[in-house]
């Protein structure tokens, strides 16, 4: 096998190893709950600030 | 006021435009920007009818006691000298197809865009610069790339068809709208391109926004509040996504993929404008803080292998494509505080005091109502994927992408992956959030989420592993 072919085979094996690891990732319900909690958190702001106009 | 019926050709080197655009800070910025674009020559179009100004004129200036002209001056910029003889020669020989195409290509290759100069002055007694379409900074910059919101606009110079790829911009004209109004105006062009929403002039935006009342005057404009901005976008049938950039919350998501750069990349690549609400601090350590509020549109970014190095803003008090660097290199605070043109601006001329800090207070993104999965919802999932995959390989990188299905299917068509035909035949929602995993710039996996759902549950919509 030529050197460049060997590099390609090694690269393919490396990517397959990554893909096998990624397949195990599951989005749990707790992550969704956390996401919604953060979404609520970043939409909280002092209402008085929101009424202040952008004057500059 | 007698308006000449016929224009004569007025062309001159770029260093003589000061007599037309004036000496305002905005005008100086434009001159500097044109130098960076290597502009050398300018053609002056007198008594140009600019629809944007004409609407503002009819809604505000027409009822002023002062005698105000309703026509503008439009300046066209080129990278090379253009003679009157050459323009007349093209006009004369326009029916010869090969000649016409060759000459128009030359003109277009050297065309950098235009600036409309309004016949009204600002508080500094200098002319106000109206609608402008200027070429953005080049896409490539050594080993880095720039991405901008832009689309191709046709321009007619004495009937000669030119084009310019740009995002329209204009400087602040406080009679008809302050910074938030101008930001809404800029955003309309990007939104029109994406969702077909209508374009409105500054005075129209202010008028619609202020149907949600504020305490200040509507005209001359005293500035819009966040609620008035939201009110305007709602009137177009759009939703808005609001993010409070609370440094304490945002800092939890620091390290390699901080909130602001990931958000900017996702939305700008999709073509969405981001309205940044910023606080201009006079003294950061003072309690309670003393600051002014300002709004600008984040219109682009510069990156190296996906890592955002610089943002660009259409800021009506500075100029188009104004550069923003992060004030802190701490990844947890990346782009929360800005190093930008505002740090040189004086808020107290008499005592020579300049703003000490520029901080992003919140971000407003006008979105199509069907884009229901919120950025922070998907961002938390994005962070979770990165965390779970942490030890798989040192060369991995991650992107959060918002994509319309037709564009994404074109991307899929060019790639090889298991069940390709089955996946391409599958019905997809119109909009997708995609968590893309790459290794050494090779895409290895796309985790696809339905962006039109309220919240993501269970498995991904599709999970594609590329060969």
């Amino acid at each position: 096998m030529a050197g460049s072919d060997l590099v390609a085979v090694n690269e393919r094996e490396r990517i397959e190893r990554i893909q096998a690891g990624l397949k195990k990732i599951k989005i749990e319900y707790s992550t969704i709950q956390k996401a919604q909690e953060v979404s609520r958190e970043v939409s909280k702001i002092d209402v008085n600030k929101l009424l202040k106009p952008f004057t500059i | 006021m007698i308006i000449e019926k016929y224009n004569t050709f007025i062309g001159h080197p770029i260093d003589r435009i000061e007599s037309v655009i004036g000496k305002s800070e905005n005008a100086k910025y434009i001159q500097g920007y044109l130098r960076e674009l290597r502009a050398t020559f300018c053609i002056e179009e007198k008594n140009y009818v600019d629809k944007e100004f004409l609407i503002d004129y009819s809604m505000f200036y027409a009822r002023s006691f002062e005698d105000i002209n309703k026509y503008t001056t439009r300046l066209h910029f080129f990278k090379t000298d253009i003679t009157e003889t050459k323009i007349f020669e093209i006009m004369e020989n326009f029916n010869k197809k090969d000649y016409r195409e060759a000459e128009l290509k030359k003109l277009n290759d050297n065309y950098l865009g235009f600036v409309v100069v309004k016949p009204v002055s600002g508080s500094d007694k200098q002319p106000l610069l109206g609608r402008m379409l200027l070429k953005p900074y080049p896409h490539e910059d050594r080993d880095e790339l720039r991405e901008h919101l832009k689309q191709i606009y046709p321009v007619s110079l004495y009937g000669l068809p030119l084009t310019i790829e740009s995002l329209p911009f204009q400087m602040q004209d406080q009679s008809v709208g302050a910074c938030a109004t101008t930001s809404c105006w800029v955003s309309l062009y990007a939104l029109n391109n994406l969702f077909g929403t209508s374009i409105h002039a500054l005075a129209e935006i202010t008028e619609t926004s202020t149907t949600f009342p504020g305490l200040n005057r509507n005209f001359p404009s005293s500035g819009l509040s966040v609620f008035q901005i939201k009110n305007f976008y709602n009137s177009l049938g759009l939703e808005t996504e609001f993010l409070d950039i609370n440094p304490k919350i945002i800092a939890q998501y620091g390290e390699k993929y901080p909130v602001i750069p990931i958000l900017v990349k996702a939305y700008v690549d999709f073509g969405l404008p981001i309205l940044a609400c910023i606080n201009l601090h006079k003294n950061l350590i003072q309690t309670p803080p003393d600051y002014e509020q300002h709004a600008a549109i984040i219109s682009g970014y510069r990156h190296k292998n996906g890592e955002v190095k610089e943002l660009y803003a259409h800021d009506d008090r500075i100029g188009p494509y104004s550069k923003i660097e992060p004030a802190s290199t701490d990844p947890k605070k990346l782009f929360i505080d800005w190093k930008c043109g505002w740090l040189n601006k004086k808020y107290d001329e008499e005592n020579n005091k300049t703003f000490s800090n520029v901080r992003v207070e919140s971000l407003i993104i006008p979105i199509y109502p069907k884009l229901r999965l919120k950025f922070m919802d998907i961002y938390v999932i994005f962070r979770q994927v990165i965390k779970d995959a942490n030890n798989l390989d040192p060369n991995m990188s991650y992107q959060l992408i918002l994509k319309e299905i037709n564009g994404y299917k074109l991307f899929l068509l060019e790639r090889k992956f298991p069940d390709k035909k089955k996946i391409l035949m599958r019905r997809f929602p119109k909009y997708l959030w995609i968590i893309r995993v790459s290794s050494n710039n090779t895409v290895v996996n796309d985790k696809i989420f339905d962006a039109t759902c309220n919240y993501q549950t269970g498995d991904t919509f599709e999970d594609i592993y590329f060969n």
Side-chain angles (χ1 to χ4, degrees):
Chain A
M1 195 183 284
S4 59
D5 291 341
L6 195 61
V7 171
V9 169
N10 288 342
E11 180 64 7
R12 192 62 242 158
E13 280 175 1
R14 195 178 63 79
I15 286 176
E16 280 168 8
R17 205 168 50 245
I18 293 171
Q19 289 178 332
L22 287 168
K23 276 180 186 162
K24 288 179 193 154
I25 294 171
K26 279 273 172 209
I27 292 129
E28 303 294 343
Y29 182 60
S30 58
T31 307
I32 311 296
Q33 276 183 313
K34 173 74 182 160
Q36 299 228 303
E37 190 188 308
V38 175
S39 269
R40 279 194 296 273
E41 203 64 33
V42 294
S43 19
K44 268 187 205 163
I45 193 167
D46 177 3
V47 173
N48 289 324
K49 272 189 186 176
L50 298 180
L51 289 168
K52 195 177 167 189
F54 298 93
T55 48
I56 289 282
Chain B
M1 200 180 303
I2 298 164
I3 305 295
E4 292 294 330
K5 201 170 180 181
Y6 298 102
N7 275 336
T8 50
F9 179 89
I10 307 171
H12 49 75
I14 199 80
D15 51 15
R16 281 169 44 196
I17 61 167
E18 194 180 273
S19 60
V20 187
I21 67 170
K23 295 176 182 175
S24 65
E25 283 187 42
N26 292 159
K28 283 176 194 160
Y29 176 92
I30 293 298
Q31 278 185 297
Y33 185 70
L34 287 167
R35 271 195 298 275
E36 288 203 56
L37 293 184
R38 304 192 188 291
T40 58
F41 199 76
C42 166
I43 293 178
E44 215 174 300
E45 202 180 347
K46 293 269 189 200
N47 301 317
Y48 171 70
V49 180
D50 182 60
K51 188 186 164 195
E52 296 287 336
F53 179 68
L54 210 54
I55 296 172
D56 292 342
Y57 180 87
S58 68
M59 290 178 72
F60 184 84
Y61 292 107
R63 293 188 68 189
S64 301
F65 177 73
E66 197 184 343
D67 195 8
I68 296 169
N69 189 351
K70 67 176 181 179
Y71 300 110
T72 65
T73 301
R74 184 159 74 153
L75 303 176
H76 299 268
F77 303 104
F78 295 86
K79 280 190 284 186
T80 185
D81 290 4
I82 313 280
T83 61
E84 183 180 30
T85 317
K86 179 47 96 182
I87 292 288
F88 288 173
E89 189 187 292
I90 301 172
M91 287 173 174
E92 284 296 330
N93 296 288
F94 203 76
N95 58 340
K96 295 170 189 161
K97 189 170 176 275
D98 290 347
Y99 171 86
R100 176 180 73 217
E101 283 174 1
E103 290 302 324
L104 283 180
K105 186 178 180 318
K106 267 192 254 172
L107 262 185
N108 264 312
D109 287 347
N110 285 296
Y111 189 54
L112 296 169
F114 67 80
V115 172
V116 167
V117 185
K118 298 186 196 182
V120 286
S121 307
S123 53
D124 56 0
K125 306 276 179 214
Q126 296 298 312
L128 287 178
L129 304 182
R131 187 169 63 102
M132 58 184 84
L133 272 82
L134 293 174
K135 218 173 172 172
Y137 286 111
H139 178 56
E140 287 177 21
D141 181 20
R142 292 182 294 259
D143 57 345
E144 298 183 348
L145 295 174
R146 296 187 185 95
E147 307 296 343
H148 295 282
L149 294 175
K150 59 184 177 183
Q151 71 174 100
I152 296 170
Y153 292 92
V155 180
S156 172
L157 174 63
Y158 310 128
L160 302 179
L162 303 177
T163 56
I164 186 77
E165 199 171 18
S166 177
L167 177 69
F169 175 79
Q170 64 176 311
M171 298 297 190
Q172 190 171 113
D173 181 350
Q174 216 162 22
S175 300
V176 286
C179 55
T181 296
T182 321
S183 295
C184 289
W185 180 84
V186 169
S187 75
L188 286 183
Y189 286 86
L191 295 168
N192 172 265
N193 188 29
L194 277 180
F195 310 127
T197 45
S198 50
I199 303 286
H200 297 271
L202 294 176
E204 292 174 317
I205 295 170
T206 303
E207 190 178 59
T208 307
S209 310
T210 50
T211 54
F212 182 94
L215 290 175
N216 297 315
R217 292 193 63 115
N218 299 345
F219 292 98
S221 177
S222 326
L224 305 179
S225 69
V226 169
F227 289 125
Q228 289 172 324
I229 294 169
K230 184 170 174 61
N231 187 40
F232 174 69
Y233 287 123
N234 286 168
S235 79
L236 299 173
L238 297 176
E239 276 284 353
T240 51
E241 187 145 340
F242 178 80
L243 262 93
D244 175 13
I245 302 298
N246 180 333
K248 279 182 198 158
I249 300 170
I250 299 302
Q252 295 171 30
Y253 303 98
E255 309 308 336
K256 249 188 128 182
Y257 296 93
V259 176
I260 296 180
I262 295 295
L263 180 144
V264 168
K265 275 179 66 186
Y267 283 134
V268 168
D269 288 353
F270 185 76
L272 274 169
I274 300 159
L275 197 150
C277 308
I278 54 177
N279 289 349
L280 307 170
H281 288 267
K282 294 172 182 172
N283 184 345
L284 194 61
I285 49 172
Q286 189 179 313
T287 321
D290 188 10
Y291 61 85
E292 301 286 352
Q293 291 198 145
H294 180 59
I297 288 288
I298 298 175
S299 59
Y301 65 91
R302 183 165 58 85
H303 70 102
K304 186 176 182 179
N305 298 325
E307 198 180 326
V308 178
K309 302 284 181 188
E310 189 172 61
L311 304 180
Y312 299 99
H314 270 31
D315 185 320
D316 72 341
R317 291 289 305 278
I318 298 178
Y321 315 107
S322 68
K323 293 177 179 177
I324 301 158
E325 287 176 40
S328 162
T329 50
D330 177 356
K332 292 187 173 185
K333 293 179 184 165
L334 208 59
F335 290 106
I336 291 179
D337 291 319
W338 288 359
K339 203 159 99 185
C340 64
W342 276 103
L343 294 175
N344 305 320
K345 282 194 183 286
K346 287 178 193 157
Y347 65 85
D348 182 349
E349 285 279 349
E350 208 173 304
N351 297 304
N352 205 26
K353 286 185 175 172
T354 53
F355 290 107
S356 62
N357 189 62
V358 180
R359 174 163 289 175
V360 180
E361 172 75 17
S362 56
L363 298 173
I364 301 172
I365 304 106
I367 49 170
Y368 191 65
K370 264 183 77 177
L371 277 164
R372 294 177 185 132
L373 188 59
K374 295 186 200 87
F375 173 81
M376 278 316 275
D377 283 4
I378 192 71
Y379 178 75
V380 170
I381 296 170
F382 173 70
R383 298 287 317 176
Q384 190 63 44
V385 169
I386 296 170
K387 195 178 156 200
D388 289 351
N390 199 25
N391 298 319
L392 285 173
D393 191 275
N395 300 313
M396 285 163 74
S397 59
Y398 306 86
Q399 262 180 290
L400 185 56
I401 300 166
L402 180 60
K403 204 86 184 151
E404 198 254 331
I405 181 56
N406 294 346
Y408 185 61
K409 281 201 173 172
L410 279 176
F411 166 84
L412 290 182
L413 276 167
E414 289 176 4
R415 277 162 176 80
K416 288 190 173 156
F417 51 91
D419 295 327
K420 179 170 178 173
K421 281 176 244 158
K422 196 175 147 195
I423 291 174
L424 282 167
M425 299 284 280
R426 182 178 178 178
R427 289 186 304 109
F428 271 68
K430 188 171 169 65
Y431 300 109
L432 307 166
W433 277 110
I434 300 160
I435 297 175
R436 176 163 294 163
V437 187
S438 303
S439 175
N440 289 336
N441 294 324
T442 304
V443 182
V444 297
N445 174 219
D446 272 359
K447 295 191 185 299
I448 302 165
F449 300 85
D450 174 5
T452 68
C453 74
N454 184 12
Y455 48 82
Q456 185 66 47
T457 48
D459 292 333
T460 54
F461 180 82
E462 196 61 77
D463 203 6
I464 302 175
Y465 294 87
F466 297 96
N467 295 341

